Amino acid sequence: MFDVAVFGSLFLTLFVIMDPPGITPIFLALTSGRPAKVQRRMAWQAVAVAFGVITVFGLLGQQILDYLHVSVPALMIAGGLLLLLIALDLLTGKTDEPKQTKDVNVALVPLGMPLLAGPGAIVSVILAVQHADSASAQVSVWAAIVAMHVVLWLTMRYSLVIIRVIKDGGVVLVTRLAGMMLSAIAVQQIINGVTQVVQGA
């Protein structure tokens, strides 16, 4: 009742797309300035939101997109624009303001979605569920999704130790680095979406 090949294929795909090592500096930048207890809770919330979104789209993804008349490229471009706005805030230091860091739950947006549960992950899960034509394949697909989110939680949960080492100056550096990385991810996502629109025209 378990297909190792299906599990491994989807897990590796999601690992590359969701990128737990790459999400670490972005998570640290977005949650800096908060108590450790709050940061740990936000790590859990981000993973829970991502898992919820991935689960909904895994079960009803194609129907949702069809009902809203939304194409996958449109989803990619919208996600890229949202990430770009967040990246610009990180690069310009606007996240240092209390209004930005204290009142906004970044665990929901942009961490949970679209960073973790982004268009790439959503489309991969939709396709994996559609192609899983047996009970063992379905079990393997959902096991891979759960395992990936456990890895994400562990990565973010224990990345908080880094903050204690790098101190405030290091956090500022990580924030700028995260902004640069995030802007590149956002632009690439927009390019991919536009490319798909042009190819489909």
Side-chain angles (χ1 to χ4, degrees), residues 18 26 33 48 60 68 71 79 83 86 97 102 104-105 110 116 127 140 152-153 160 162 170-172 179 188:
M18 292 178 148
I26 298 171
L60 304 167
L68 296 174
S71 66
L83 288 182
I86 304 297
E97 299 171 9
K102 307 300 183 190
V104 179
N105 190 351
L116 297 181
L127 293 176
S140 303
L152 284 168
W153 176 75
L160 298 176
I162 298 172
V171 169
V172 173
Q188 186 61 56

Side-chain angles (χ1 to χ4, degrees), residues 29-89:
L30 291 172
T31 60
S32 63
R34 294 177 170 85
K37 183 178 179 181
V38 174
Q39 290 175 315
R40 288 193 294 269
R41 186 173 74 240
M42 293 179 80
W44 167 252
Q45 288 175 335
V47 172
V49 168
F51 182 74
V53 171
I54 290 292
T55 299
V56 169
F57 275 94
L59 297 172
L60 304 167
Q62 197 58 58
Q63 293 90 323
I64 292 172
L65 294 179
D66 290 343
Y67 177 76
L68 296 174
H69 304 291
V70 173
S71 66
V72 172
L75 192 66
M76 295 177 73
I77 294 170
L81 290 172
L82 179 57
L83 288 182
L84 191 56
L85 290 175
I86 304 297
L88 291 175
D89 276 350

Side-chain angles (χ1 to χ4, degrees), residues 27 40 43 152-161 164:
F27 172 74
R40 288 193 294 269
L152 284 168
W153 176 75
L154 289 172
T155 303
M156 289 190 290
R157 168 68 176 77
Y158 291 101
S159 69
L160 298 176
V161 178
R164 299 182 199 139

